[in-house]
Amino acid sequence: MVRRSASRSSRWPDARRRAQLLQRQVAAPVKAAIPPPAFPHSSPARPEMKLKEANLPQLPAPIARPDYCLAEVSTGIAHIGVGGFHRAHQAAYTDALMNTGEGLEWGICGIGTRAEERSMRDALAAQDYLYTLVELDDRPDTEVRVIGSIRDMLLVDEDGSEAVVARLADPAIRIVSLTITEGGYCLDDSTGQFNAQLPQIQHDLQHPRRPVSVFGLLCAALAKRRGDGVGPFTVMSCDNLPHNGDVTRKATLAFASLVDPDLARWIERNVSFPNAMVDRITPMTSTAHRQDLKHQHGLDDAWPVVCEPFVQWVLEDRFVAGRPAWEKVGVQFTDDVSPYEEMKIKLLNGSHLALTYLGFLRGYRFVHETMADPLFAEYIRRYMDEDVTPQLAPVPGIDLARYKQTLIERFSNCAIADQLERVCSDGSSKFPKFTVPTINRLIADKAALDRAALVVAAWALYLRGVDENGERYRIPDPRADFCQSLVAEDDGLTERLLGREEIFGTQIPRSLAFRDAFERNLLRLRTLGVSGTLDLLLTQ
């Protein structure tokens, strides 16, 4: 077993650590045309060492490593959708708990449902499922840490549906968690109903013994557990969407009702779906991040994850088969996550969208350089203060003024070099969840609409695929072709775009005031450019 000092093993992410992160004051950002070095604190190159369990004792002292025996970890969680966020958040919390000597029965088995997950599985398997978590900030006390809580990973297209279902049905698995993106829940945003016509759902309805979708796998495993007399597991969403547990429950029951109504009733009575608010900015890991990890620490990790120091998880304590003692490492348990969830989704995710399309059109490619522009920083502050904050209920234990300042500081973090492209992605699924509720409330309150309408106008121009400098870019959205068709012609653009109820609902298309604000800001962007539009908006 590899030991660490007590100060190192207990420093992340306890309540005091989280409070310190919330209280940090970040220096004014410096605009940069290119990202800063991936790891901002340079050091001489070190001899390279491959990340593997056998090499853990030889890692250089600054790298924290598991303070527990990997062989003693058993699997209690299956996680569908092992991406950067899961590895920087839930898996990191679980590893932190294991470092206290507890929770070794809560190791994680990853489940992959997409062919493109094979590369990550192969990379992790080659290094005993270990990976490095690197906090990026401009301070020297940020952490570089090897995580060991993920112990295995199965792929549906390689290991087969039967093997995956068998693993989920194993009585040892007591929690199945999800990070499958906002668009992965198979709900029609215009109606809120389960979309059974999706190809993967149709496949599973026709071939229930060989499911490939998330909900096909969940229901097949729960059916097997029921048939075997094994109790249910908790289904825990860790995705950024409102009432994520309720959404997961709705989709699971809808699919189960199509397969076996008796199973649906059993799930409804026995399975829990806790809601959660999750938060940690986790940019895409780049080749530069991997190379810098080699150069500065001598560690050859094929699939590290980089993230900001800030981390937060608020979780409803509704688990039918037990859970890790995550509260010992900073997770806040509550009976109702709703106020935290609304605060985070409207302020962080909504502000991200308000920032990202305008920034991309202006020619920026990183969140921090966009925030270094005073016009953008002032616009985001006003959006938070004047459009969103009046809509929020009091949040227990949260100072909203301080929380908003923390968001400004996080967005301005130069070291993390968070890509606007990442934040731009899947806009057609993000708008209904992060922005439309704010706009609907503004319409109902007869409040000013220009700041919020500018977000939608910027998206409309962004979908054209060329910025103010004439640079072309791709649109990272599963519905990119469809969305681009909505804005391809100027004539009728407003009706085509705002009329898509699956994106904008029913209230926005009916509001003449919002339509006017949208067209006004679209015209300004075309004639004045992004900076001119922001300058005019902020001086009105």
Side-chain angles (χ1 to χ4, degrees), residues 19-267:
Q20 290 171 344
L21 292 171
L22 284 166
Q23 295 166 3
R24 282 183 166 178
Q25 295 296 323
V26 176
V30 177
K31 180 177 175 180
I34 58 175
F39 302 161
H41 304 289
S42 61
S43 61
R46 301 174 184 270
E48 290 182 15
M49 179 184 299
K50 179 65 181 174
L51 179 58
K52 293 180 71 70
E53 181 179 2
N55 292 336
L56 288 177
Q58 284 75 51
L59 293 182
I63 300 178
R65 69 215 64 179
D67 198 18
Y68 51 90
C69 178
L70 296 175
E72 295 178 3
V73 176
S74 57
T75 303
I77 299 172
H79 183 84
I80 303 177
V82 179
F85 182 78
H86 168 69
R87 295 190 297 134
H89 193 267
Q90 181 193 346
Y93 273 109
T94 304
D95 176 82
L97 179 62
M98 292 175 176
N99 282 329
T100 70
E102 295 189 37
L104 296 183
E105 71 276 22
W106 292 106
I108 300 168
C109 171
I111 304 293
T113 60
R114 298 174 298 119
E116 52 266 37
E117 292 175 281
R118 182 177 300 179
S119 297
M120 180 182 65
R121 193 285 310 273
D122 291 347
L124 292 177
Q127 50 197 45
D128 302 317
Y129 291 97
L130 298 169
Y131 64 92
T132 315
L133 181 146
V134 181
E135 293 180 356
L136 299 178
D137 201 358
D138 59 355
R139 291 170 173 79
D141 64 337
T142 51
E143 190 168 53
V144 179
R145 164 181 162 207
V146 173
I147 304 289
S149 54
I150 297 176
R151 294 287 79 224
D152 193 10
M153 187 168 176
L154 299 178
L155 300 178
V156 172
D157 70 337
E158 182 174 301
D159 299 290
S161 300
E162 290 186 0
V164 172
V165 169
R167 190 60 175 272
L168 296 176
D170 186 333
I173 298 296
R174 291 182 278 166
I175 296 173
V176 177
S177 51
L178 313 173
T179 46
I180 55 176
T181 77
E182 297 85 4
Y185 288 81
C186 303
L187 298 181
D188 185 322
D189 288 320
S190 63
T191 65
Q193 300 306 307
F194 187 74
N195 185 358
Q197 301 308 310
L198 293 171
Q200 68 271 30
I201 301 301
Q202 283 295 304
H203 172 277
D204 289 359
L205 293 176
Q206 296 167 22
H207 308 283
R209 295 184 179 276
R210 293 186 284 111
V212 296
S213 74
V214 170
F215 300 104
L217 293 167
L218 288 174
C219 289
L222 288 168
K224 182 170 175 27
R225 291 172 81 112
R226 181 182 65 147
D228 293 345
V230 175
F233 45 66
T234 296
V235 182
M236 182 180 69
S237 171
C238 295
D239 276 302
N240 276 320
L241 70 163
H243 314 299
N244 53 14
D246 295 340
V247 170
T248 309
R249 182 177 187 272
K250 182 175 185 176
T252 305
L253 290 175
F255 181 89
S257 296
L258 297 172
V259 175
D260 180 354
D262 288 339
L263 174 64
R265 286 188 285 272
W266 183 85
I267 292 173

Side-chain angles (χ1 to χ4, degrees), residues 14 115 155 217 329 339 361 383 403 464 477 482 486 490 505:
D14 61 17
L155 300 178
L217 293 167
V329 288
L361 286 174
Y383 179 81
Y403 181 80
R464 293 283 179 91
D477 190 310
F482 167 72
L486 299 176
D490 291 343

Side-chain angles (χ1 to χ4, degrees), residues 175 183 226 293 322 326 388 426 463 489 508:
I175 296 173
R226 181 182 65 147
L293 185 59
W326 282 315
V388 177
D426 207 8
L463 289 171
E489 301 291 338
I508 288 174

Side-chain angles (χ1 to χ4, degrees), residues 372-388:
D373 186 323
L375 286 172
F376 281 83
E378 180 61 21
Y379 167 68
I380 289 301
R381 286 184 183 276
R382 291 200 190 179
Y383 179 81
M384 289 182 181
D385 290 342
E386 299 177 31
D387 297 331
V388 177

